[in-house]
Amino acid sequence: MSIDLPSLRIVRYPDAVLRQPAREIAEITDEVRRVAERMIELMHDAPGIGLAAPQVGLSWRMFVLHVPEDPDEGRLIDCDPPEATESPRVYINPRLSDYARDLVPWDEGCLSLPGITGEVRRPSQLTVSALDEQGRPFSHRAGGLLARCIQHETDHLDGKLIIDRFTPIARMKNRVALRELTEGAAKA
Ligand code: NI
C-alpha cells in the first residue's frame, strides 16, 4: 500500500466510495498517520470541522475533526460534556454509545455535498471510543456541535450521508441542488 498524499483530495457525491462501508484499520502505521495529517490540512483548507477517510477516497474507519470553541454561540470546550475541541483530533475505528434519548434538529452541510444543507435530527449527546493516531485507546462524552460532528463523520464510515437523514422538508428543499450535483459529475 502506498498512497500519494499530495494527490488526496475531497471527493464529492455521487462518488461510489462515499457509499461503501469502510474497513477497520488493522495497524496504525506511519502511512495512516500521514494520511490523518493530510486530512486535517484538507479539512482546515476547505474549511470544515470534520472529514472522514472515505471523503478522500480511502475506505478506512478513520475521521478527523476540529470543532473550535465559539463562546458567542455558547460552544465551549470547558463544559460538561464538551462541545468543542482545542485542537484537531484523529479518531480511528470509532464506536459510539450511550446516546441521549432526545433528537435535536440542526442544519448540516458536508464537504462532499457542496451547496447542500438541511435539517438533520440527532441525539444531543453520546460517548465515543476510538484509537488515536498513536494507537492509544481513548473515550469521551460529547455534546452540542461536537456530538453532531462525531455522528456525521461516523455516518461516513458506514456509507451514510446527510441526504439519507434529511427531514422531508430538507429533502424537498435540496432536490434540485442534488440533481445538479449528480448531473455535474456525469458531465465532468
Ligand atoms: Ni460530511
Side-chain angles (χ1 to χ4, degrees), residues 80-81 83 97-102 122-127 141-144 147 151:
D80 188 21
E83 301 188 353
S97 61
D98 301 308
Y99 294 94
R101 282 162 186 262
D102 55 355
R122 298 190 193 268
S124 61
Q125 296 187 6
L126 56 88
T127 299
R141 192 103 184 122
Q151 293 175 79

Side-chain angles (χ1 to χ4, degrees), residues 58-121:
L58 297 171
S59 205
W60 298 357
R61 298 193 78 80
M62 171 166 82
F63 66 80
V64 299
L65 63 73
H66 186 188
V67 181
E69 189 166 61
D70 186 345
D72 293 341
E73 297 266 322
R75 193 164 72 237
L76 300 174
I77 296 166
D78 193 16
C79 64
D80 188 21
E83 301 188 353
T85 64
E86 202 157 358
S87 50
R89 278 196 200 153
V90 181
Y91 294 74
I92 296 170
N93 302 339
R95 300 219 193 289
L96 310 189
S97 61
D98 301 308
Y99 294 94
R101 282 162 186 262
D102 55 355
L103 283 176
V104 180
W106 186 269
D107 262 15
E108 284 185 34
C110 178
L111 295 175
S112 294
L113 288 154
I116 290 176
T117 61
E119 198 171 273
V120 176
R121 289 159 201 238

Side-chain angles (χ1 to χ4, degrees), residues 20-50:
Q20 282 167 23
R23 295 182 303 273
E24 294 239 316
I25 295 180
E27 196 189 348
I28 300 168
T29 58
D30 283 344
E31 183 158 62
V32 171
R33 279 186 280 276
R34 281 195 291 267
V35 167
E37 260 173 58
R38 179 69 187 132
M39 283 171 59
I40 289 168
E41 280 174 13
L42 288 167
M43 169 183 74
H44 281 150
D45 287 351
I49 59 169

Side-chain angles (χ1 to χ4, degrees), residues 50-52 55 109-113 152-153 156 161-162:
L51 190 66
Q55 291 183 277
C110 178
L111 295 175
S112 294
L113 288 154
H152 176 121
E153 301 313 329
H156 275 299
L161 299 169
I162 50 173

